[in-house]
């Protein structure tokens, strides 16, 4: 389980945030410099990134397993689980960029500037099962949400190769198998605008409803993928529009409050082990683990000016 939520300020500043719902915390904030070299787990091929990245991840094999992040061009990528929705081939394909599914965020952020650029190259990517991989990484059911400074927001779903692309002007993602079907069910909670219903919006839109809630249901309080999607969308439509990046960040944190999963070991194995937010204009990244009341703040430009190698950051989980 995970939830992604995007907010945009009136001045155009955009923030993408998330909960990482897992059974334990394995990621921490990490800076990855430009020209970072790594080897793909699938075929041991050496890859050299072009751009610097700040995000959350951990070391795995000869690379960084990146869960979410933002690069120096303001492109942001997050990966989420996608149960029963993936279809990975076993054999690599000549002329393609053959990757393990978990490697896609690292590759995209390290080598692309915009969502449009990725869309043009989508047929080049080939995500593979680990049946014949150099290093075993199990069957990873993942999909991805992307946004850049233009506001272009998409989902990449590896239900086939090439991956399917969905425009996501709502700016919310959970772990729903059929995203289009879930959007249709939003009608029960929101009075949707015609352009949204007819899929005419390509970029993130702060308001996809008329703002009238008369006769509409109140979203459920469950932590199911659908419950979190409907609840996040409902409160996104009601929250005051932010005037600045700082206010957009605050909106994200408050909206995440409504979908943050508490630790409840007796009843469910996963909980929100961390929350993060990436500010596309200032290139600032925020990270807060489950036990922390003090999000760590890291600026990509500042770190890039001081570091030429990978750097992990320690979080302060104390209460002040």
């Amino acid at each position: 389980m995970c939830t992604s939520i995007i907010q945009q300020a009136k001045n155009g500043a955009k923030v993408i945030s998330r909960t990482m719902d897992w059974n334990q915390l394995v990621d921490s904030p990490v800076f990855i410099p430009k020209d970072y070299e790594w080897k793909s787990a699938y075929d041991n091929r050496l890859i050299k990134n072009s751009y610097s990245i700040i995000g959350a991840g951990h070391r795995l094999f000869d690379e960084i397993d990146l869960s979410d992040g933002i690069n120096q061009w303001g492109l942001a990528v997050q990966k989420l689980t996608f149960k029963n929705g993936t279809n990975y081939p076993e054999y690599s394909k000549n002329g393609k960029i053959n990757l393990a599914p978990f490697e896609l965020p690292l590759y995209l952020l390290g080598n692309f500037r915009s969502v449009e650029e990725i869309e043009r190259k989508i047929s080049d990517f080939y995500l593979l099962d680990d049946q014949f991989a150099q290093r075993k990484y199990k069957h990873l059911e993942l999909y991805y949400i992307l946004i850049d400074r233009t506001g272009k927001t998409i989902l990449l779903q590896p239900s086939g190769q090439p991956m399917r692309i969905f425009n996501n002007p709502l700016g919310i993602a959970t772990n729903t198998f059929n995203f289009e079907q879930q959007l249709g069910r939003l009608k029960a909670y929101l009075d949707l605008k015609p352009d949204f219903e007819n899929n005419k919006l390509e970029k993130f839109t702060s308001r996809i409803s008329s703002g009238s809630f008369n006769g509409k249901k109140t979203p459920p309080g469950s932590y199911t993928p659908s419950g979190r999607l409907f609840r996040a969308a409902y409160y996104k439509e009601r929250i005051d529009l932010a005037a600045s990046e700082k206010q957009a960040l605050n909106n994200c944190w408050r909206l995440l409050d409504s979908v943050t999963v508490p630790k409840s070991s007796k009843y469910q194995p996963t909980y929100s082990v961390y929350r993060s937010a990436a500010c596309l204009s200032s290139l600032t990244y925020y990270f807060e683990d489950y036990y922390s009341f003090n999000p760590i703040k890291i600026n990509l430009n500042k770190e890039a000016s001081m570091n030429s190698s990978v750097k992990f950051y320690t979080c302060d989980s104390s209460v002040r």
Side-chain angles (χ1 to χ4, degrees), residues 88 101-102 128-131 135-141:
Y88 303 128
F102 75 87
L128 293 138
D129 190 77
D130 74 344
Q131 181 69 22
R135 298 177 175 86
K136 300 299 180 183
Y137 42 80
K138 300 181 181 180
H139 185 76
L140 303 172
E141 296 194 285

Side-chain angles (χ1 to χ4, degrees), residues 7-222:
Q7 284 286 281
Q8 176 174 291
K10 294 178 181 179
N11 65 3
K14 300 166 185 67
V15 181
I16 179 170
S17 62
R18 70 157 321 150
T19 63
M20 168 57 82
D21 301 340
W22 204 240
N23 56 14
Q24 61 180 326
L25 179 64
V26 296
D27 292 335
S28 60
V30 58
F31 166 75
I32 304 172
K34 66 178 182 178
D35 300 326
Y36 172 67
E37 294 185 346
W38 53 283
K39 292 182 179 179
S40 172
Y42 182 78
D43 57 9
N44 212 35
R45 177 171 55 96
L46 182 66
I47 298 171
K48 184 176 181 179
N49 285 356
S50 298
Y51 308 132
S52 56
I53 304 166
I54 197 79
H58 62 277
R59 292 191 184 276
L60 181 64
F61 309 130
D62 295 318
E63 57 187 295
I64 305 298
D65 181 357
L66 196 66
S67 294
D68 59 80
I70 183 172
N71 72 10
Q72 65 190 70
W73 296 100
L75 172 69
V77 178
Q78 296 178 351
K79 66 182 180 189
L80 301 88
T81 54
F82 187 46
K83 190 174 183 180
N84 300 320
T86 57
N87 183 16
Y88 303 128
E90 295 179 351
Y91 297 95
S92 62
K93 202 167 186 179
N94 290 335
K96 300 293 185 180
I97 302 169
N98 298 295
L99 296 169
F102 75 87
E103 296 173 333
L104 189 63
L106 178 62
Y107 189 89
L108 295 180
L109 291 173
N111 296 283
F112 289 88
R113 300 185 181 192
S114 69
V115 171
E116 182 181 2
E117 185 182 0
I118 292 168
E119 288 181 313
R120 291 198 302 266
K121 297 286 188 179
I122 196 65
S123 61
D124 292 348
F125 301 110
Y126 211 61
L127 303 188
L128 293 138
D129 190 77
D130 74 344
Q131 181 69 22
F132 301 104
Q134 294 292 313
R135 298 177 175 86
K136 300 299 180 183
Y137 42 80
K138 300 181 181 180
H139 185 76
L140 303 172
E141 296 194 285
L142 302 171
Y143 82 118
Y144 316 88
I145 181 171
L146 291 70
I147 184 173
D148 62 24
R149 283 175 170 170
T150 71
K152 178 70 173 175
T153 309
I154 63 171
L155 299 177
L156 294 181
Q157 294 188 351
S159 50
Q161 303 292 327
M163 288 177 285
R164 298 182 67 192
I165 299 174
F166 295 91
N167 287 327
N168 185 12
L170 175 65
I172 293 172
T174 58
N175 317 99
T176 53
F177 173 74
N178 191 324
F179 184 71
E180 292 172 306
Q181 184 182 72
Q182 298 304 315
L183 292 183
R185 292 177 62 191
L186 277 177
K187 293 179 184 179
Y189 308 98
L190 301 172
D191 181 31
L192 301 174
K193 293 179 179 178
D195 282 352
F196 179 80
E197 285 199 84
N198 297 324
N199 198 29
K200 292 183 178 180
L201 301 175
E202 292 188 358
K203 297 182 178 180
F204 171 76
T205 305
S206 295
R207 294 284 190 259
I208 53 94
S209 75
S210 67
S212 173
F213 298 91
N214 293 332
K216 297 299 181 179
K217 294 181 179 179
T218 301
S222 68

